[in-house]
PDB file of all heavy atoms in Angstrom:
ATOM      1  N   LEU A 184       3.692   5.167   3.942  1.00 96.00           N
ATOM      2  CA  LEU A 184       2.883   4.204   4.687  1.00 96.00           C
ATOM      3  C   LEU A 184       1.414   4.596   4.722  1.00 96.00           C
ATOM      4  O   LEU A 184       0.661   4.122   5.575  1.00 96.00           O
ATOM      5  CB  LEU A 184       3.400   4.015   6.127  1.00 96.00           C
ATOM      6  CG  LEU A 184       4.848   3.603   6.339  1.00 96.00           C
ATOM      7  CD1 LEU A 184       5.086   3.255   7.805  1.00 96.00           C
ATOM      8  CD2 LEU A 184       5.239   2.441   5.465  1.00 96.00           C
ATOM      9  N   ARG A 229      10.924  10.756   3.553  1.00 93.00           N
ATOM     10  CA  ARG A 229      10.147   9.521   3.594  1.00 93.00           C
ATOM     11  C   ARG A 229      10.207   8.871   4.976  1.00 93.00           C
ATOM     12  O   ARG A 229       9.189   8.433   5.508  1.00 93.00           O
ATOM     13  CB  ARG A 229      10.644   8.549   2.526  1.00 93.00           C
ATOM     14  CG  ARG A 229      10.266   8.946   1.108  1.00 93.00           C
ATOM     15  CD  ARG A 229      10.425   7.781   0.150  1.00 93.00           C
ATOM     16  NE  ARG A 229      11.814   7.406  -0.051  1.00 93.00           N
ATOM     17  CZ  ARG A 229      12.566   7.839  -1.054  1.00 93.00           C
ATOM     18  NH1 ARG A 229      12.081   8.695  -1.937  1.00 93.00           N
ATOM     19  NH2 ARG A 229      13.813   7.433  -1.194  1.00 93.00           N
ATOM     20  N   ALA A 230      11.404   8.808   5.547  1.00 94.00           N
ATOM     21  CA  ALA A 230      11.554   8.177   6.864  1.00 94.00           C
ATOM     22  C   ALA A 230      10.827   8.973   7.937  1.00 94.00           C
ATOM     23  O   ALA A 230      10.215   8.396   8.852  1.00 94.00           O
ATOM     24  CB  ALA A 230      13.032   8.037   7.212  1.00 94.00           C
ATOM     25  N   THR A 231      10.872  10.283   7.842  1.00 94.00           N
ATOM     26  CA  THR A 231      10.201  11.136   8.826  1.00 94.00           C
ATOM     27  C   THR A 231       8.692  10.956   8.755  1.00 94.00           C
ATOM     28  O   THR A 231       8.012  10.819   9.783  1.00 94.00           O
ATOM     29  CB  THR A 231      10.571  12.614   8.589  1.00 94.00           C
ATOM     30  OG1 THR A 231      11.988  12.768   8.684  1.00 94.00           O
ATOM     31  CG2 THR A 231       9.910  13.509   9.626  1.00 94.00           C
ATOM     32  N   ALA A 233       7.124   8.380   7.481  1.00 96.00           N
ATOM     33  CA  ALA A 233       6.815   6.999   7.851  1.00 96.00           C
ATOM     34  C   ALA A 233       6.777   6.830   9.363  1.00 96.00           C
ATOM     35  O   ALA A 233       5.927   6.101   9.898  1.00 96.00           O
ATOM     36  CB  ALA A 233       7.841   6.047   7.243  1.00 96.00           C
ATOM     37  N   ARG A 234       7.688   7.505  10.068  1.00 97.00           N
ATOM     38  CA  ARG A 234       7.691   7.396  11.533  1.00 97.00           C
ATOM     39  C   ARG A 234       6.403   7.951  12.124  1.00 97.00           C
ATOM     40  O   ARG A 234       5.830   7.355  13.047  1.00 97.00           O
ATOM     41  CB  ARG A 234       8.895   8.131  12.127  1.00 97.00           C
ATOM     42  CG  ARG A 234       8.892   8.133  13.660  1.00 97.00           C
ATOM     43  CD  ARG A 234      10.170   8.661  14.259  1.00 97.00           C
ATOM     44  NE  ARG A 234      10.474  10.008  13.816  1.00 97.00           N
ATOM     45  CZ  ARG A 234      11.493  10.721  14.289  1.00 97.00           C
ATOM     46  NH1 ARG A 234      12.305  10.199  15.207  1.00 97.00           N
ATOM     47  NH2 ARG A 234      11.720  11.935  13.838  1.00 97.00           N
ATOM     48  N   VAL A 235       5.939   9.082  11.614  1.00 97.00           N
ATOM     49  CA  VAL A 235       4.691   9.666  12.108  1.00 97.00           C
ATOM     50  C   VAL A 235       3.529   8.693  11.907  1.00 97.00           C
ATOM     51  O   VAL A 235       2.740   8.435  12.815  1.00 97.00           O
ATOM     52  CB  VAL A 235       4.397  11.009  11.398  1.00 97.00           C
ATOM     53  CG1 VAL A 235       3.009  11.526  11.775  1.00 97.00           C
ATOM     54  CG2 VAL A 235       5.446  12.047  11.758  1.00 97.00           C
ATOM     55  N   ALA A 237       3.730   5.418  11.348  1.00 98.00           N
ATOM     56  CA  ALA A 237       3.956   4.169  12.084  1.00 98.00           C
ATOM     57  C   ALA A 237       3.551   4.324  13.548  1.00 98.00           C
ATOM     58  O   ALA A 237       2.950   3.410  14.133  1.00 98.00           O
ATOM     59  CB  ALA A 237       5.417   3.745  11.980  1.00 98.00           C
ATOM     60  N   THR A 257       9.324  -4.644  14.690  1.00 98.00           N
ATOM     61  CA  THR A 257       9.519  -4.944  13.273  1.00 98.00           C
ATOM     62  C   THR A 257       9.021  -3.790  12.412  1.00 98.00           C
ATOM     63  O   THR A 257       9.664  -3.417  11.417  1.00 98.00           O
ATOM     64  CB  THR A 257       8.799  -6.243  12.871  1.00 98.00           C
ATOM     65  OG1 THR A 257       9.269  -7.310  13.707  1.00 98.00           O
ATOM     66  CG2 THR A 257       9.079  -6.596  11.422  1.00 98.00           C
ATOM     67  N   THR A 258       7.883  -3.208  12.773  1.00 98.00           N
ATOM     68  CA  THR A 258       7.393  -2.031  12.056  1.00 98.00           C
ATOM     69  C   THR A 258       8.380  -0.876  12.193  1.00 98.00           C
ATOM     70  O   THR A 258       8.674  -0.168  11.216  1.00 98.00           O
ATOM     71  CB  THR A 258       6.013  -1.614  12.590  1.00 98.00           C
ATOM     72  OG1 THR A 258       5.071  -2.677  12.355  1.00 98.00           O
ATOM     73  CG2 THR A 258       5.514  -0.350  11.901  1.00 98.00           C
ATOM     74  N   LYS A 259       8.909  -0.676  13.382  1.00 98.00           N
ATOM     75  CA  LYS A 259       9.886   0.401  13.594  1.00 98.00           C
ATOM     76  C   LYS A 259      11.160   0.150  12.784  1.00 98.00           C
ATOM     77  O   LYS A 259      11.739   1.080  12.209  1.00 98.00           O
ATOM     78  CB  LYS A 259      10.220   0.506  15.086  1.00 98.00           C
ATOM     79  CG  LYS A 259       9.070   1.026  15.942  1.00 98.00           C
ATOM     80  CD  LYS A 259       9.454   1.107  17.417  1.00 98.00           C
ATOM     81  CE  LYS A 259       8.336   1.710  18.256  1.00 98.00           C
ATOM     82  NZ  LYS A 259       8.706   1.793  19.696  1.00 98.00           N
ATOM     83  N   TRP A 260      11.577  -1.097  12.727  1.00 97.00           N
ATOM     84  CA  TRP A 260      12.749  -1.444  11.913  1.00 97.00           C
ATOM     85  C   TRP A 260      12.523  -1.086  10.450  1.00 97.00           C
ATOM     86  O   TRP A 260      13.408  -0.542   9.785  1.00 97.00           O
ATOM     87  CB  TRP A 260      13.045  -2.939  12.040  1.00 97.00           C
ATOM     88  CG  TRP A 260      13.900  -3.469  10.924  1.00 97.00           C
ATOM     89  CD1 TRP A 260      15.254  -3.399  10.809  1.00 97.00           C
ATOM     90  CD2 TRP A 260      13.430  -4.118   9.729  1.00 97.00           C
ATOM     91  NE1 TRP A 260      15.662  -3.967   9.619  1.00 97.00           N
ATOM     92  CE2 TRP A 260      14.564  -4.412   8.943  1.00 97.00           C
ATOM     93  CE3 TRP A 260      12.165  -4.478   9.263  1.00 97.00           C
ATOM     94  CZ2 TRP A 260      14.453  -5.059   7.708  1.00 97.00           C
ATOM     95  CZ3 TRP A 260      12.050  -5.114   8.033  1.00 97.00           C
ATOM     96  CH2 TRP A 260      13.197  -5.394   7.273  1.00 97.00           C
ATOM     97  N   ALA A 261      11.319  -1.391   9.936  1.00 97.00           N
ATOM     98  CA  ALA A 261      11.021  -1.103   8.535  1.00 97.00           C
ATOM     99  C   ALA A 261      11.129   0.387   8.236  1.00 97.00           C
ATOM    100  O   ALA A 261      11.581   0.787   7.156  1.00 97.00           O
ATOM    101  CB  ALA A 261       9.624  -1.610   8.186  1.00 97.00           C
ATOM    102  N   VAL A 262      10.721   1.216   9.192  1.00 97.00           N
ATOM    103  CA  VAL A 262      10.831   2.674   9.016  1.00 97.00           C
ATOM    104  C   VAL A 262      12.293   3.096   9.013  1.00 97.00           C
ATOM    105  O   VAL A 262      12.753   3.812   8.121  1.00 97.00           O
ATOM    106  CB  VAL A 262      10.054   3.401  10.132  1.00 97.00           C
ATOM    107  CG1 VAL A 262      10.328   4.906  10.067  1.00 97.00           C
ATOM    108  CG2 VAL A 262       8.566   3.122  10.016  1.00 97.00           C
ATOM    109  N   LYS A 263      13.029   2.647   9.992  1.00 96.00           N
ATOM    110  CA  LYS A 263      14.440   3.040  10.095  1.00 96.00           C
ATOM    111  C   LYS A 263      15.239   2.538   8.896  1.00 96.00           C
ATOM    112  O   LYS A 263      16.189   3.183   8.426  1.00 96.00           O
ATOM    113  CB  LYS A 263      15.040   2.506  11.395  1.00 96.00           C
ATOM    114  CG  LYS A 263      16.396   3.090  11.749  1.00 96.00           C
ATOM    115  CD  LYS A 263      16.698   2.957  13.231  1.00 96.00           C
ATOM    116  CE  LYS A 263      17.975   3.690  13.585  1.00 96.00           C
ATOM    117  NZ  LYS A 263      18.161   3.832  15.041  1.00 96.00           N
ATOM    118  N   ASN A 264      14.834   1.398   8.372  1.00 94.00           N
ATOM    119  CA  ASN A 264      15.498   0.781   7.234  1.00 94.00           C
ATOM    120  C   ASN A 264      15.508   1.684   6.001  1.00 94.00           C
ATOM    121  O   ASN A 264      16.361   1.555   5.130  1.00 94.00           O
ATOM    122  CB  ASN A 264      14.789  -0.530   6.898  1.00 94.00           C
ATOM    123  CG  ASN A 264      15.748  -1.614   6.476  1.00 94.00           C
ATOM    124  OD1 ASN A 264      16.848  -1.724   7.016  1.00 94.00           O
ATOM    125  ND2 ASN A 264      15.348  -2.401   5.510  1.00 94.00           N
ATOM    126  N   MET A 265      14.550   2.594   5.928  1.00 94.00           N
ATOM    127  CA  MET A 265      14.458   3.501   4.782  1.00 94.00           C
ATOM    128  C   MET A 265      15.675   4.407   4.660  1.00 94.00           C
ATOM    129  O   MET A 265      15.972   4.926   3.582  1.00 94.00           O
ATOM    130  CB  MET A 265      13.202   4.373   4.895  1.00 94.00           C
ATOM    131  CG  MET A 265      11.907   3.617   4.785  1.00 94.00           C
ATOM    132  SD  MET A 265      10.474   4.714   4.972  1.00 94.00           S
ATOM    133  CE  MET A 265       9.137   3.534   4.843  1.00 94.00           C
ATOM    134  N   LEU A 266      16.393   4.599   5.760  1.00 93.00           N
ATOM    135  CA  LEU A 266      17.547   5.500   5.767  1.00 93.00           C
ATOM    136  C   LEU A 266      18.850   4.819   5.358  1.00 93.00           C
ATOM    137  O   LEU A 266      19.856   5.494   5.107  1.00 93.00           O
ATOM    138  CB  LEU A 266      17.731   6.112   7.163  1.00 93.00           C
ATOM    139  CG  LEU A 266      16.676   7.113   7.621  1.00 93.00           C
ATOM    140  CD1 LEU A 266      16.897   7.440   9.093  1.00 93.00           C
ATOM    141  CD2 LEU A 266      16.713   8.381   6.776  1.00 93.00           C
ATOM    142  N   ILE A 282      15.852   8.242  15.022  1.00 95.00           N
ATOM    143  CA  ILE A 282      14.674   7.433  14.685  1.00 95.00           C
ATOM    144  C   ILE A 282      14.730   6.086  15.402  1.00 95.00           C
ATOM    145  O   ILE A 282      15.617   5.261  15.142  1.00 95.00           O
ATOM    146  CB  ILE A 282      14.561   7.234  13.160  1.00 95.00           C
ATOM    147  CG1 ILE A 282      14.221   8.574  12.492  1.00 95.00           C
ATOM    148  CG2 ILE A 282      13.503   6.183  12.824  1.00 95.00           C
ATOM    149  CD1 ILE A 282      13.953   8.491  11.014  1.00 95.00           C
ATOM    150  N   TYR A 283      13.836   5.890  16.325  1.00 97.00           N
ATOM    151  CA  TYR A 283      13.688   4.651  17.079  1.00 97.00           C
ATOM    152  C   TYR A 283      15.026   4.095  17.601  1.00 97.00           C
ATOM    153  O   TYR A 283      15.387   2.934  17.327  1.00 97.00           O
ATOM    154  CB  TYR A 283      13.000   3.578  16.229  1.00 97.00           C
ATOM    155  CG  TYR A 283      11.611   3.950  15.779  1.00 97.00           C
ATOM    156  CD1 TYR A 283      11.220   3.780  14.450  1.00 97.00           C
ATOM    157  CD2 TYR A 283      10.667   4.461  16.678  1.00 97.00           C
ATOM    158  CE1 TYR A 283       9.939   4.117  14.030  1.00 97.00           C
ATOM    159  CE2 TYR A 283       9.384   4.801  16.260  1.00 97.00           C
ATOM    160  CZ  TYR A 283       9.023   4.621  14.932  1.00 97.00           C
ATOM    161  OH  TYR A 283       7.759   4.942  14.504  1.00 97.00           O
TER     162      TYR A 283
END
Side-chain angles (χ1 to χ4, degrees):
L184 304 189
R229 287 196 292 265
T231 301
R234 176 171 57 175
V235 172
T257 303
T258 298
K259 291 180 176 180
W260 161 82
V262 172
K263 192 158 187 168
N264 218 37
M265 294 179 182
L266 291 171
I282 291 186
Y283 299 133

